[in-house]
Each structure stands twice: as C-alpha cells, then as structure tokens.
Amino acid sequence: MVDQQAHILMCSPDYYGIEYEINPWMDCARGADHATAIDQWSKLHALLQSLGARISLVDPVEGLPDLVFTANAAAVLGDQAVLSRFRFEQRQGEEVYFQRRLSELGFAVLTLDESEFFEGAGDALFCGDTLFAGYRIRSDAQAHQRVGELLGRRVIPMELVDDYFYHLDTCFCPLTPTTALYYPGAFDDYARRALAEHIETLVEVGATEARRFACNAVVVGDHVVTNVGCPRMHEQLRRGGFHPHETSLSEFVKAGGSAKCLTLRLDGEESTRPA
Ligand code: ARG
C-alpha cells in the first residue's frame, strides 16, 4: 500500500510533563513519570521506523511541555503547511518553533489571523479530497473555513461535544480515502450525519476503547499504531485487512494525547491518496 516512504515529525519528551490543565485528562497533582515517558516515546519512534517511516524531529524546548504533540503544529497539504494558532496561552509559545522547523523542512508556512484559533492536524484531517474539521472546544469553525480556502479544499465542519474528546484526532481517524474510524459519542447529530454521508465505510469504536485513545491512531501504509488496550478495535482492523500494533503510551494519555498526537504526517496521509 505504501508507494512512498512515510515522513513524520516528532519531538522528544525531554521537557514533557503535566504543568497546567487545559483538558479534562490533565491533573498536575498526578503528573507524568519522566523516565517512563521517554521510554514510551522511544518505543513509538522505533516502531514507526520499523514500519518504514522516516522521522524528522523538532528540538524540545524547556517550558513547552506539550511541544511533543506535533500533530498540533499545522495542517499539511503538499508543500504547504497552515500553522496552528493555539487557543490556550500555555501552548502559544510552540507556534514559532513549529513555524521554524516546518520552514527548514521546506514547507511554505501559511498563517491565520490572530483571532482565529486552529490546532492543526489535531482538529483537521483529510479523508479523500475533503478536510474534516472538528470545532468548538479548541479550533473555531471560521478558522477551518479559512484553512480550506488557503489549501483549496472543501471543509466539513463537525462540532465536538464531549470535553474528553476535545481534538478531532481523539475521536476520528481516516484510514483510506473512503474508510475511517470514529467514536460517535464525541460528535453532535449533524456531524454524525455528515460523516455518514461523506465516508463510505465508518468503523465504530466503543466508549471504553475510545477513552483509551483507540481513534488516536497513526497509519503507515496498512499498519495502524495505537495505545494499548484496544483489542476490539484491533480485531475490526484485522478483519478490514489492516495490521494493528499497540504500544503503551500511558504517560501521554495523562496529558490527553496518544500515538497520533505525538506525530505529524509530512508527506500526506494514506487517506489522501487516490484509492
Ligand atoms: N495537553 C495537550 C493539549 O491539551 C494535548 C494535545 C494532544 N494533541 C492532539 N493532537 N490531540 O493541548
């Protein structure tokens, strides 16, 4: 299925930690274990490499604990990247580092107006030619329209209604141009209808596994990588001809993130390639 080498952006968790609370998963009192986080991230990095991906890195920065979640850097299409504008001040300092690194990697980095919140591939995922975009909790619907204009793509805005699934990539994952995983409970009725209307095959993930970040999956060819504890979803994937892999990411779940959040696909997701 992969006819070109996957290229992924990651950031080592040297300065990762739970230093503030901007989503319901985060609890400063509980914290994350540093050595375990380094180990889990290294295993994810090695696993993605073993599946054939090339990994580029952005340098970690002290005082920016969530910089590890590179999915939030930008929305990437071809050689263009629309840079994020984070809703919370705690993450706004990341923008300049992502901007610099994406430019170095050869992308034309496009920016939005200051008043438009947009959290990159965390909230905007291509399935076929269409950009599916989650709004309300982090990104704004208006910002998504602007991203669609900049990239020349149709946008399907979808309201996110459950604070535990505050980014689209926590509850939706395109696998191919016509297939996606999703957790219905995270969307309002209108969004669920839009998904059913535009995506041929929707694989439903149950609430328990969705809370273990089953939908926060990294797709490399027909391989799908998630956190541990999603056996039902993995069985569904196997039946669909995919090869699921699991790797523990418990320390990142404490910040509200998992496999997909720790990556940004730079060469275009499999779901954007012609079927
Ligand atoms: N603590 C981070 C935040 O709340 C987690 C980001 C997870 N990233 C993602 N793409 N879902 O912003």
Side-chain angles (χ1 to χ4, degrees):
M1 236 161 131
V2 217
D3 47 12
Q4 78 185 58
Q5 187 180 26
H7 186 196
I8 291 172
L9 182 69
M10 295 180 74
C11 172
S12 170
D14 303 26
Y15 302 107
Y16 169 70
I18 315 294
E19 295 174 15
Y20 44 77
E21 296 170 6
I22 57 171
N23 70 53
W25 299 91
M26 301 177 90
D27 177 355
C28 294
R30 191 161 64 123
D33 183 77
H34 187 68
T36 310
I38 298 270
D39 182 58
Q40 292 179 342
W41 183 88
S42 304
K43 285 183 173 140
L44 174 66
H45 180 275
L47 175 56
L48 294 173
Q49 276 184 326
S50 77
L51 298 176
R54 171 160 80 94
I55 314 286
S56 287
L57 297 171
V58 51
D59 287 335
V61 178
E62 197 170 352
L64 296 175
D66 277 338
L67 195 67
V68 292
F69 298 113
T70 52
N72 295 123
V76 174
L77 185 68
D79 61 359
Q80 295 184 300
V82 183
L83 191 69
S84 288
R85 279 205 184 273
F86 287 95
R87 181 172 295 274
F88 291 104
E89 205 188 331
Q90 291 95 326
R91 293 201 66 184
Q92 288 166 359
E94 298 176 32
E95 291 165 14
V96 55
Y97 295 98
F98 285 137
Q99 178 164 29
R100 198 175 298 160
R101 190 66 183 115
L102 288 165
S103 305
E104 276 169 16
L105 288 164
F107 289 93
V109 181
L110 313 176
T111 51
L112 299 168
D113 286 347
E114 232 157 272
S115 58
E116 299 174 322
F117 295 123
F118 173 65
E119 299 203 354
D123 267 334
L125 295 164
F126 292 98
C127 193
D129 284 340
T130 303
L131 186 60
F132 290 84
Y135 70 91
R136 194 181 71 82
I137 304 178
R138 292 297 182 85
S139 302
D140 293 325
Q142 198 189 320
H144 286 315
Q145 289 308 332
R146 182 77 190 121
V147 173
E149 279 165 31
L150 287 170
L151 297 177
R153 288 297 154 99
R154 169 176 72 162
V155 176
I156 308 284
M158 302 190 290
E159 183 170 343
L160 302 178
V161 298
D162 181 335
D163 284 344
Y164 278 92
F165 299 92
Y166 59 94
H167 275 142
L168 181 65
D169 69 358
T170 65
C171 50
F172 174 68
C173 177
L175 299 170
T176 74
T178 56
T179 314
L181 296 168
Y182 85 126
Y183 167 56
F187 298 93
D188 77 348
D189 273 353
Y190 180 85
R192 278 197 291 260
R193 265 183 277 133
L195 282 170
E197 195 179 309
H198 295 284
I199 300 179
E200 216 171 279
T201 309
L202 282 172
V203 180
E204 221 175 288
V205 173
T208 306
E209 294 193 357
R211 284 235 179 187
R212 295 185 192 132
F213 284 79
C215 299
N216 199 245
V218 185
V219 183
V220 178
D222 49 13
H223 295 274
V224 181
V225 177
T226 68
N227 184 27
V228 293
C230 311
R232 290 188 56 180
M233 192 271 259
H234 280 200
E235 187 45 40
Q236 283 173 295
L237 285 174
R238 256 178 238 113
R239 269 188 261 127
F242 294 93
H243 304 288
H245 303 264
E246 61 169 28
T247 188
S248 179
L249 293 164
S250 57
E251 297 317 299
F252 298 98
V253 167
K254 292 176 179 173
S258 184
K260 176 73 168 203
C261 306
L262 293 166
T263 66
L264 178 68
R265 186 72 180 256
L266 295 175
D267 61 313
E269 302 270 2
E270 271 73 8
S271 58
T272 63
R273 310 207 194 294

